[in-house]
Amino acid sequence: MESQVIAEQVVIAGMIVLTGTVGSWAKIITEQIRYAISRLVFNITLPLLIVTTISRMEMSHEVLVNGWWALVFTVVSILLMYGFGKVSSRLFRLPNRSAVVHELHTMFGNIVFLGFPLIAALYPEGESLLYASIYYMVSSFMQWTYAVFRLKGQKDVPVRDRFNNLLNPNTVAFAVGILLFFIQFQLPYLVYQPFRTIGNATSPLALLYIGATLAGTNLKGILKRYDIYVLSFNKLLLIPFVLLLIINFFVKQIGIDFGDMPGTIIVLETAMPCMSMIVIMAKAYGAADDLASENVFFTTVLSLLTLPVVYFLTTAV
C-alpha cells in the first residue's frame, strides 16, 4: 500500500515539476519569480511547516530513541557520501574546479525542495518531519562549514564565515519546534491553523521551483560526461543501499531500537538528487557551476525513477 503511495507521490511531484518547466518555457515563471519562490519557500513556508509539525508531536520514549538513532545514521550517511565523492572524483582525475562540485554534490541532496515535500506527503504524521529535520540540520551544518571551506580552498576561511549561515529561518524553526515539543506547548488554534496552511504550500511551490530551474538547463554535453553517470548511480542508488544495509545490520544483528519509518526517511533523504544551492555556491566561489547545474538537472530527472526503487528496497531488505 505504501509503495503505491510513494509511486503516486512521485508521479504527482513529476507533474508539478513539469508544470514549472512549462511555465518557465512560456515565460510565466521568470527568473525573478523563480528567485522569489525560492526565498518564499526557504524563509516562510518551510519554516512554518517545520515548527507547526514538530510542535504538535506527542513526546514518547520511542520518539526520543528514534530521534537519537536518526542523528547517528544521518552522520553515517554524510560520511558515506563524503567517502564516495572523494574516491569517484579521484577515479576520474577531475580538475579541482570540477572535483569540488562532484564531491559536494555527492554529499548534499535537494532536501528542502524535494525531500521535505516527499516525506510530508508520504508520512503526514508529525513525527516524520522530526527525522527529516534532523537530517536537514546535520546536512546544513556540513554545507555551511565544510562545503564553504572546500569551495574557498584550504586558506583564508574565517571561523565566523563558516558558521554565520547556520542561523537561518529553518534552523530557527527547528529549534523553536523542538522547544515546544519538549515543553509540550500547543500553539493556539488561531495561530496554528494559518501557519499550518501557509506551511502546506511548501510542497507545490518547491516542486514548481525545481521545474522552472530544470527548464533553463542546457542539455548539450550532459550525456557525454561519464562522471555524471557515476555521480548519479552513487548518490541515487548505491549509497542509500549501503546505508540501508548498515541500518538493517544494527537493527537486526545488534538489536538497536530504531523504527522502520525513521530508517526509511533517513535512507530516502540520502537518495535525494543533487542540491540546487551548490550551483549558487559554486558560482560565488569560482567552481564549475555549469557542471553543477547539469548535475542537478540529470539527478533530479533520474530521481523520479530511482526514489520508488529506493523506497521498495527499504521494505524488501
Side-chain angles (χ1 to χ4, degrees), residues 14-91:
M15 292 299 294
I16 300 176
V17 168
L18 180 61
T19 302
T21 302
V22 173
S24 181
W25 286 339
K27 308 299 182 184
I28 297 172
I29 303 179
T30 63
E31 179 66 24
Q32 292 77 11
I33 293 176
R34 187 172 68 87
Y35 176 70
I37 291 175
S38 70
R39 288 183 56 80
L40 181 63
V41 169
F42 189 81
N43 294 295
I44 297 179
T45 68
L46 181 56
L48 290 179
L49 178 65
I50 291 173
V51 74
T52 54
T53 301
I54 295 178
S55 65
R56 281 280 168 137
M57 291 170 47
E58 293 186 7
M59 185 183 296
S60 68
H61 174 75
E62 180 184 5
V63 170
L64 295 176
V65 171
N66 281 335
W68 162 251
W69 285 113
L71 175 62
V72 170
F73 287 121
T74 294
V75 173
V76 172
S77 168
I78 299 293
L79 291 175
L80 280 174
M81 292 187 289
Y82 167 81
F84 274 87
K86 280 287 186 184
V87 170
S88 57
S89 67
R90 292 179 180 177
L91 177 66

Side-chain angles (χ1 to χ4, degrees), residues 86-249:
K86 280 287 186 184
V87 170
S88 57
S89 67
R90 292 179 180 177
L91 177 66
F92 286 99
R93 299 180 180 178
L94 298 173
N96 188 58
R97 290 179 70 252
S98 302
V100 170
V101 168
H102 182 93
E103 292 170 18
L104 296 182
H105 258 163
T106 303
M107 288 183 67
F108 301 106
N110 215 344
I111 301 168
V112 171
F113 291 103
L114 188 57
F116 277 108
L118 181 61
I119 296 302
L122 185 62
Y123 300 106
E125 60 269 27
E127 185 182 342
S128 63
L129 273 188
L130 170 66
Y131 309 129
S133 295
I134 289 172
Y135 192 99
Y136 167 78
M137 290 291 290
V138 177
S139 179
S140 182
F141 176 81
M142 293 301 297
Q143 176 191 346
W144 295 113
T145 53
Y146 176 74
V148 172
F149 178 71
R150 280 290 284 125
L151 287 165
K152 282 190 172 183
Q154 304 298 314
K155 299 180 278 187
D156 302 325
V157 187
V159 173
R160 183 176 178 180
D161 285 355
R162 302 183 196 179
F163 290 93
N164 58 7
N165 284 301
L166 288 174
L167 190 63
N168 62 64
N170 295 288
T171 55
V172 171
F174 177 78
V176 171
I178 287 292
L179 175 62
L180 296 178
F181 162 69
F182 276 112
I183 66 176
Q184 290 292 280
F185 176 80
Q186 297 286 326
L187 294 172
Y189 177 80
L190 292 179
V191 175
Y192 170 82
Q193 193 56 41
F195 283 0
R196 182 66 180 183
T197 302
I198 297 171
N200 286 339
T202 297
S203 180
L205 287 174
L207 295 173
L208 282 173
Y209 170 82
I210 289 177
T213 300
L214 298 183
T217 304
N218 184 2
L219 297 179
K220 185 178 180 180
I222 291 181
L223 299 180
K224 296 179 181 178
R225 285 181 51 202
Y226 295 109
D227 62 292
I228 203 171
Y229 295 108
V230 173
L231 168 66
S232 301
F233 177 70
N234 285 345
K235 184 160 190 59
L236 302 179
L237 290 173
L238 181 57
I239 298 173
F241 181 67
V242 172
L243 177 64
L244 177 60
L245 292 179
I246 292 173
I247 292 175
N248 280 357
F249 173 79

